[in-house]
Amino acid sequence: VAQCVEGKIRGLVGDTYSDRALIELVGEGHKDEFTLNGLQEDTEERTAKKNIIDAVRVNQIEFGHCPVGEPCWRALTITNHTQTKVMCFEWEADAPFQFSPKVGHLHPGCAKDITVTLRSDVPATFRRHLVKCKVTTISLEQPQRKVQDWDDQMTITMWKNTTRKEPGARWPKIERVVEPVLEPAHTVLEESSQEAEVYLSAVIAYTQFKLSTTMVEFKDTLPFQTRTATFRLCNTGKVALEYYWEEAADSEAVKKPFSPALTR
C-alpha cells in the first residue's frame, strides 16, 4: 500500500522488555508510474531529520572528488511501471553536467539507462545542485507495436553516393553517413506532466602532490651490481592522483673515467 508505516522494537533485557532498548522503525511504500533507480540517500536531509521520525528520500548523486578537466561518470535507470502508458522524459540540466540520453521515450514496462557526466575545466564545488526530470504521458500517432523505442542518442548509419570519382573508376565514391533517428510523431496528453528532483554533489579540484626530494643520488655501484634508492611521493590534494614515470627525452647517462688496472 502506498502509505507511511511505523513500528517499534523493544529489546529483552533480562526478564523484561526495556524502553532503553527501543528501536523505532519507519518506512514508506510507494506506487509510482515511473521511478529513478541507482540514486543515493539524501544525507543532509537525514541529518536535518535526526530528531524526526520520517522516511528519507533517495534522490541524490554523489560524484565525490573529481580532477579538473577529467570526466566523471555516474549511472541511473528510469523505469516506466505502467502497463499501457507511453512516457516521454526530458532532463533539465545545464553545464557542466550532461545527461545521456537527455530526451527519450519509455514504452510500458520498459527501462532505460542514463549516464550522467561531469567535466569542468575550473575548480568548483556543487552541493545539492538541483536538476529536474520532466515526464509526460504521450500518445503515438502510429500503433505502439509499430514504433520502436527512441532517445536522442540513437543514430542510423547509411551509405550514400557522392559526386566524387576515383581516377579510372566507373562509379562515384560511396561515403558513410551517420544521422540521428527522428523522434516518433506523438502528442502530449494534457495534465500528464510529472517531475522528479535529483540533487548532484561534487568537488572538482586540481591534483596536487609533493616529493620528498628532487634529486636521487645512488651510491657508487660496481658493474652488474644493483643499487636502489627510495623517496616519498605524497598526494596533498583532494582528488585521486594518477601518475606514471617516463625518462626525459634529452637525458643520457654520464660516463665517468675509470682505471682499467686490476686490483689484487
Side-chain angles (χ1 to χ4, degrees):
V1 180
Q3 66 180 19
C4 184
V5 292
E6 297 181 7
K8 295 181 180 180
I9 296 178
R10 283 187 172 86
L12 183 63
V13 181
D15 297 329
T16 60
Y17 288 97
S18 173
D19 288 337
R20 294 183 179 180
L22 177 65
I23 300 175
E24 298 186 61
L25 308 175
V26 61
E28 187 172 350
H30 63 85
K31 187 178 181 181
D32 298 324
E33 292 188 338
F34 76 95
T35 56
L36 301 176
N37 304 102
L39 303 177
Q40 299 167 293
E41 283 189 357
D42 192 332
T43 54
E44 291 201 11
E45 183 183 37
R46 174 178 289 277
T47 302
K49 293 183 177 181
K50 62 182 179 180
N51 296 323
I52 302 175
I53 302 301
D54 197 2
V56 178
R57 290 176 294 180
V58 181
N59 60 356
Q60 180 165 292
I61 296 178
E62 179 63 57
F63 282 88
H65 293 86
C66 302
V68 172
E70 297 292 333
C72 296
W73 297 275
R74 294 294 183 270
L76 60 97
T77 303
I78 182 170
T79 305
N80 180 354
H81 294 283
T82 68
Q83 297 181 353
T84 59
K85 296 180 180 180
V86 180
M87 295 183 172
C88 176
F89 67 88
E90 180 176 1
W91 290 94
E92 299 175 353
D94 50 9
F97 297 100
Q98 292 185 347
F99 284 75
S100 178
K102 186 176 182 180
V103 183
H105 293 178
L106 281 174
H107 286 230
C110 294
K112 192 176 289 288
D113 293 331
I114 308 293
T115 301
V116 189
T117 305
L118 167 62
R119 185 185 183 281
S120 176
D121 293 327
V122 295
T125 299
F126 296 92
R127 299 190 186 279
R128 291 173 56 81
H129 178 77
L130 176 62
V131 297
K132 295 182 179 181
C133 180
K134 181 180 178 182
V135 180
T136 55
T137 303
I138 61 176
S139 175
L140 299 172
E141 292 189 3
Q142 294 185 356
Q144 182 179 321
R145 65 180 182 276
K146 294 184 178 181
V147 181
Q148 295 182 349
D149 185 28
W150 175 86
D151 62 61
D152 62 355
Q153 296 300 303
M154 291 183 173
T155 58
I156 184 171
T157 301
M158 298 180 293
W159 295 91
K160 293 185 176 182
N161 292 327
T162 66
T163 58
R164 303 188 304 273
K165 278 187 178 182
E166 293 288 349
R170 297 179 57 187
W171 308 104
K173 291 187 65 177
I174 299 177
E175 65 180 5
R176 180 172 175 265
V177 179
V178 179
E179 296 181 351
V181 176
L182 297 179
E183 183 176 8
H186 66 277
T187 56
V188 178
L189 301 185
E190 295 183 0
E191 299 182 358
S192 66
S193 179
Q194 306 177 63
E195 279 189 351
E197 296 182 347
V198 178
Y199 294 92
L200 310 178
S201 298
V203 175
I204 306 168
Y206 285 111
T207 55
Q208 297 177 338
F209 67 93
K210 183 179 180 181
L211 294 172
S212 60
T213 182
T214 58
M215 176 69 71
V216 178
E217 294 188 4
F218 291 87
K219 296 179 180 179
D220 291 342
T221 308
L222 296 175
F224 306 108
Q225 183 183 17
T226 300
R227 185 77 72 179
T228 61
T230 303
F231 65 94
R232 183 179 295 274
L233 169 63
C234 181
N235 181 2
T236 59
K238 296 181 179 180
V239 297
L241 174 66
E242 297 183 4
Y243 67 93
Y244 63 93
W245 298 96
E246 64 178 8
E247 188 176 359
D250 58 349
S251 64
E252 61 180 24
V254 178
K255 298 181 179 180
K256 294 183 177 180
F258 64 94
S259 174
L262 295 178
T263 302
R264 291 185 180 181

